Amino acid sequence: MPSCLRQLGEASGPALLEAAADLRSYLAAVPDPRARRGTRHPWTALLTASAAAVLAGAASITAIGEWVADAPQRVLALLGFRPDPLTGLIRPPHATTIRLVLAAADGDALDRAIGDFLQERKPPAPAPGRKVIAVDGKTLRGSRTADRTATALIAAMTHSGEVLAQRQIDGKSNEIPAFAPLLDRIDLTGAVITADALHTQHNHATYLHERGAHYLAVVKRNHPRLHERVRGLGATSAWTTSSTPGPITATRSAD
């Protein structure tokens, strides 16, 4: 499951089932790729059940299937499954159905739905100070196979550990083209964006400035002119400005 989904278990707010029921309205935006003929279970119910299982601690597809199979009737109804018109009972989906659904789901659409859900959930009290968002890319452990390269994701996360958005990186590209699309759905006004040296790009700086954000940029020798300008600042390795959106800190690196 995407790491963004795992953040559901750490989000503050309503209890597990209430949170899953609320999430269902967001997951309804994830397109259903299945043919209408022969489908037994509602698409959104299958996604919501998977989310509820992760909320309950499931860490694998097998565990998700087991959780759904053991769920009481009232829980299945809350998740959106329909009862049999003859018996009135809800038959839970098979674990294989869960696996096929999660494999067929649009990963970016699923990440957007969960990210929107997490952003709408209000914390008990506003965090003190300026909002800081880290942008970073990671490779999913266990995603590499004999005939497929590892799956790479780029995510935007608060420094308190809340994932705000996530996207899969094109296997033939890198994180750079995914930077702006990742942040497009997040309110960046007044926020500080941190990222590694890969994202010290002129286009990224322009984009963040236009979105009203500040940023921290790591400057290395692959940007020789900028690196020399930072070095020319003297003994201190950083410079700051906070009067307008833009760079807050540029850190010099000897690499």
Side-chain angles (χ1 to χ4, degrees), residues 168-190:
Q168 183 170 338
I169 299 171
D170 187 338
K172 298 181 180 179
S173 184
N174 57 34
E175 298 175 25
I176 295 175
F179 182 86
L182 173 75
L183 298 174
D184 278 342
R185 299 171 67 88
I186 303 174
D187 181 10
L188 302 182
T189 306

Side-chain angles (χ1 to χ4, degrees), residues 56-224:
S60 68
I61 301 295
T62 300
I64 292 173
E66 292 174 348
W67 185 92
V68 176
D70 293 337
Q73 290 287 299
R74 63 179 183 84
V75 173
L76 294 174
L78 182 61
L79 295 176
F81 291 102
R82 296 188 293 260
D84 185 284
L86 296 178
T87 65
L89 298 177
I90 300 175
R91 180 179 299 179
H94 192 273
T96 301
T97 301
I98 298 289
R99 182 184 300 275
L100 293 174
V101 163
L102 294 177
D106 183 327
D108 286 339
L110 181 60
D111 284 335
R112 284 194 298 270
I114 295 171
D116 290 346
F117 168 76
L118 291 174
Q119 289 185 65
E120 288 297 322
R121 290 167 63 84
K122 304 299 182 183
R130 192 189 299 269
K131 179 170 66 175
V132 183
I133 301 172
V135 175
D136 195 16
K138 296 295 181 184
T139 299
L140 289 182
R141 183 174 59 185
S143 61
R144 188 189 306 274
T145 64
D147 56 354
R148 186 181 65 185
T149 59
T151 299
L153 303 174
I154 183 172
M157 185 174 67
T158 67
H159 282 209
S160 59
E162 179 187 3
V163 174
L164 301 177
Q166 179 177 275
R167 291 178 64 87
Q168 183 170 338
I169 299 171
D170 187 338
K172 298 181 180 179
S173 184
N174 57 34
E175 298 175 25
I176 295 175
F179 182 86
L182 173 75
L183 298 174
D184 278 342
R185 299 171 67 88
I186 303 174
D187 181 10
L188 302 182
T189 306
V192 180
I193 310 302
T194 66
D196 58 28
L198 179 67
H199 295 291
T200 303
Q201 305 283 337
H202 176 79
N203 289 342
H204 289 3
T206 301
Y207 169 81
L208 293 174
H209 187 275
E210 291 174 347
R211 293 289 311 279
H214 304 272
Y215 59 86
L216 184 150
V218 180
V219 180
K220 294 190 175 184
R221 293 187 185 276
N222 59 328
H223 294 281

